[in-house]
Amino acid sequence: QGLSVAAGLALAAKRDEVERRIWCIIGDGESREGQVWEAIDFLVDHRLTGVVAVFNCNQYGQSDKVSPQQSAEAIARRLEAANVQAITGDGHDPRAIREALAARHRASARSNDRSVSPRYVECRLAEQNMLSVATGLSAAGKIPFVSTFARSVSRVADQLEAALASGANLKIVGSHAGVAVGSEGPAAMALHDVAAFRLEASSRAQHFVGLADPRRHAQKNLKPPTLLARGGLRLERAGLDQSSRASKARVQRQVREQHIHARLPEQAK
C-alpha cells in the first residue's frame, strides 16, 4: 500500500505547486501485490515524477526465496513496460546506490510536469489504490472524498484498516447501495459495507456515520458539508430511485431494519 500512499502525497504536492521528492521502499516479495502495479499505472497516468520507488531485491520473501518473476531484472522489465524508467544497481555498493539515485533525480528534473493537479482525480477500476491514494492526500492535509460503488467498499478492507491506523480524515461515498437491482445488475448492489464499517468501529473505537437511504438518487442527496463537519473516516451510502411501489416498500423496509448509525455498541441507539 505504501506506493499508493506515496502517490497521494505527490498528488497533494502537485496540487499545491510544491516540489517534493517522495521515496517509497518496496520489497521484491511485496512487488507481487497487485496494488503495487495499480499505483504504478496511477503514477504514470498523473505524471507524478516526484515519487521514487526503490525495489529492494534481496531475493527473499517472508518464508522462502522469491519467485524468479520477482527478480530485479523481471521487475525492471515490468516497470519499463509501464513506461517507467528503471535503474538497476548493486544494493551492497554505496557508490552504485548514489549513482542510481543521482540518475533518477536528473531524469525526474527533466520530466517534471508543472501542470496543476485537478480537484477531481480519476482512479479508474483500482479501488484499493484509490483508498490508499486518499490516505496519502489526507496525510498531506487534504480532505479527500472517495466515490465508488458501495459494493466496492468491501474490496478495500486492508486499505481501510491502514487508513484508520494512521488517523486518516477521508470520506467514502458509496452508490448503488441496498437490495434494489439497478442498471448495473445484482452483483453491483451492496448490503454488507455498513457491517464492515460497524466492525471497524467496534474494534478501533472509531465513530462512523452511515447515511443509508436507497430511496433517494445518489447524485441528488449527497451532503458534502455534513461529511466535512465530522472529522475522521465517514461513509455515506446512496441507492437508486425505484419506480415500482413494491421495490420502494422493499428498500424502505431494509432502511428501517438496519442500523443507520454505525457506532460503538455502547453508543448505538
Side-chain angles (χ1 to χ4, degrees):
Q1 302 176 29
L3 190 56
S4 299
V5 175
L9 290 167
L11 193 65
K14 186 175 181 180
R15 176 67 191 174
D16 294 338
E17 300 185 55
V18 176
E19 290 191 12
R20 183 168 293 165
R21 185 83 58 219
I22 300 166
W23 306 87
C24 182
I25 300 178
I26 304 167
D28 46 3
E30 180 188 358
S31 71
R32 202 176 187 106
E33 293 278 358
Q35 187 175 342
V36 171
W37 303 100
E38 289 181 2
I40 291 292
D41 283 350
F42 185 87
L43 291 170
V44 174
D45 282 346
H46 297 281
R47 302 178 182 178
L48 300 176
T49 56
V51 175
V52 180
V54 179
F55 288 83
N56 177 28
C57 299
N58 62 10
Q59 302 180 13
Y60 279 89
Q62 186 175 14
S63 59
D64 199 357
K65 288 187 175 182
V66 300
S67 161
Q69 291 295 99
Q70 277 68 61
S71 67
E73 295 75 19
I75 292 173
R77 289 194 296 270
R78 286 197 186 93
L79 292 168
E80 290 167 353
N83 294 321
V84 176
Q85 182 186 20
I87 302 172
T88 59
D90 184 354
H92 296 284
D93 185 347
R95 179 178 297 177
I97 294 174
R98 288 195 298 269
E99 291 176 353
L101 295 179
R104 178 63 185 87
H105 179 76
R106 291 192 296 270
S108 177
R110 289 195 300 270
S111 61
N112 190 22
D113 182 12
R114 300 286 182 175
S115 62
V116 177
S117 175
R119 293 179 65 86
Y120 171 79
V121 180
E122 175 60 63
C123 294
R124 308 189 188 281
L125 292 177
E127 292 86 355
Q128 295 177 336
N129 176 69
M130 177 175 62
L131 199 287
S132 296
V133 166
T135 302
L137 285 167
S138 174
K142 310 298 181 184
I143 304 178
F145 279 69
V146 177
S147 178
T148 184
F149 281 11
R151 182 71 176 87
S152 298
V153 173
S154 62
R155 297 182 183 179
V156 298
D158 288 349
Q159 292 74 18
L160 177 63
E161 186 174 4
L164 290 170
S166 65
N169 181 17
L170 58 91
K171 318 303 174 187
I172 298 178
V173 179
S175 66
H176 298 70
V179 296
V181 179
S183 59
E184 301 295 335
M189 300 298 107
L191 291 173
H192 53 281
D193 52 321
V194 168
F197 266 67
R198 186 180 296 123
L199 175 62
E200 291 290 354
S202 299
S203 62
R204 292 195 174 270
Q206 298 286 336
H207 293 206
F208 299 93
V209 176
L211 305 177
D213 191 346
R215 295 169 295 175
R216 304 178 303 176
H217 192 277
Q219 295 181 353
K220 296 179 181 178
N221 292 278
L222 301 183
K223 303 178 181 64
T226 302
L227 293 176
L228 282 171
R230 298 174 179 270
L233 195 150
R234 302 283 164 176
L235 168 68
E236 176 157 339
R237 307 169 79 236
L240 301 174
D241 286 330
Q242 299 296 312
S243 58
S244 70
R245 292 183 179 179
S247 296
K248 287 184 178 180
R250 185 169 62 250
V251 296
Q252 287 172 3
R253 183 169 61 253
Q254 178 215 5
V255 171
R256 288 196 302 269
E257 292 175 353
Q258 71 180 2
H259 291 289
I260 304 304
H261 298 283
R263 299 181 177 178
L264 291 175
E266 61 270 19
Q267 295 176 324
K269 296 182 180 180

